[in-house]
Amino acid sequence: MTSDKGSAQPFIVGLGGTLRANSSTERALRYCLAAVEDQGGRTRLFCAEDLDLPMYAPHELERTPRALELVTALRDADAVVVGSPGYHGAVSGLVKNALDYIEDLREDPRVYLDNTPWGCISCAYGWQAAVGTLTQLRGIGHALRAWPTPLGVAINSADQVWASSGELADTPQGAAVGDQLGLLATQLLAFAGTAKASA
């Protein structure tokens, strides 16, 4: 779905995953954005090949079409949700590079993502990397002047969270993750409405 600045429906941009399509992080982002749409929001997801961008270079003014599309969507976003795998206990280079393009918003009327709700999802094979990555994502949101939502979702991929179909597994762990991603969607929409009202 595309942005429409004149729409009363909040526009939520999702960003993250890996270059491998349908990664666990991408699945989580898709689930969260589907919950946003179920609650009346509009969404746009950037994942896999969408994030295959040149390394961000602030002194280079030219941007690829993919980079321009990402920056334009983030400029129009009423809220952003970012998902990263936990690579060696940290945000992946792919996701961090995509987030670095937000520097292109430094001279906008809304500098960076000022007053923009910021949801965080991390996926890792173990709680230490999942929680550490989530903490980093929240810190990046603060640096971009965004509002991290009260809930951030850390997913331990060692648990039985995903079924072979790619959907959430019919397990207690799968149900718990689904509930958390649905609540994250609710918070993104609620805070997006608050930010719009105070603008």
Side-chain angles (χ1 to χ4, degrees), residues 86 89 122-135 152-161 173 176-177 180:
S122 66
C123 296
Y125 203 83
W127 285 115
Q128 181 173 331
V131 173
T133 301
L134 185 70
T135 301
V153 181
I155 300 172
N156 183 354
S157 299
D159 289 340
Q160 292 181 319
V161 175
Q173 296 94 335
V177 167
Q180 291 175 34

Side-chain angles (χ1 to χ4, degrees), residues 87-158:
Y87 284 172
H88 307 118
V91 173
S92 75
L94 181 77
V95 171
K96 180 59 169 66
N97 184 57
L99 294 175
D100 286 344
Y101 277 85
I102 296 173
E103 181 66 18
D104 285 1
L105 306 181
R106 65 188 175 276
E107 295 180 1
D108 280 20
R110 178 183 74 179
V111 180
Y112 298 134
L113 294 174
D114 190 41
N115 275 355
T116 304
W118 174 268
C120 304
I121 301 169
S122 66
C123 296
Y125 203 83
W127 285 115
Q128 181 173 331
V131 173
T133 301
L134 185 70
T135 301
Q136 286 189 332
L137 288 173
R138 294 175 72 85
I140 291 168
H142 281 294
L144 294 171
R145 306 185 186 185
W147 296 349
T149 57
L151 177 68
V153 181
I155 300 172
N156 183 354
S157 299

